[in-house]
Amino acid sequence: MSTPTSPQPETPKERPAAAAWQLWILMVWHPAVGMAVDPVAVLALDTAEGADPAQHTVWVPLVYDEANPWRERLSEGVGPERIARWETEAGACQIASAAVPEGAADLRHAAELVLDELLGEVIPALPPRTGA
């Protein structure tokens, strides 16, 4: 008599496409802190050859006006050259690279997971906006 085997849990495999996914946190000036550390959106791009060039931007709720500088920048188009320039510019808008979260089902889901972390941990730790 054989012993029944229990199903073995599958080990999560990295999606091959995830290696080409890139995420950035878009930030604007926070008046109480005096630096561009206020996250307003997560930008996600698939840089794989032959990938759909469409970008995904997930906006932080309730920061419509504060995010306008980034809306203007993104309306001009997004590409590696612009992102590289944005990463080196100083000023009221900043961009920071973010890691692709484990378990992301697709690119948009990856951006939403980063946004969830911002909403749960980063934004609550910022002081209230004053003078805004």
Side-chain angles (χ1 to χ4, degrees):
M1 177 177 214
S2 65
T3 307
T5 59
S6 60
Q8 297 297 316
E10 290 186 31
T11 56
K13 298 176 185 168
E14 182 179 345
R15 295 174 49 99
W21 296 347
Q22 292 186 324
L23 301 169
W24 293 271
I25 299 169
L26 309 181
M27 298 169 288
V28 296
W29 192 263
H30 191 294
V33 178
M35 296 172 57
V37 295
D38 198 0
V40 294
V42 177
L43 172 65
L45 294 175
D46 188 345
T47 59
E49 188 173 326
D52 181 3
Q55 69 190 35
H56 296 281
T57 309
V58 183
W59 297 97
V60 173
L62 305 174
V63 293
Y64 190 84
D65 291 335
E66 290 85 356
N68 281 341
W70 274 111
R71 283 189 185 83
E72 291 173 18
R73 283 180 167 197
L74 295 175
S75 71
E76 298 171 3
V78 176
E81 311 81 32
R82 289 200 182 188
I83 290 171
R85 186 183 73 219
W86 294 336
E87 289 178 317
T88 61
E89 291 178 346
C93 292
Q94 293 292 308
I95 186 169
S97 180
V100 175
E102 289 186 35
D106 58 28
L107 185 60
R108 182 165 187 93
H109 184 231
E112 290 170 350
L113 290 172
V114 172
L115 177 63
D116 288 347
E117 187 173 340
L118 291 172
L119 291 171
E121 296 179 26
V122 176
I123 294 172
L126 290 172
R129 294 182 139 265
T130 57

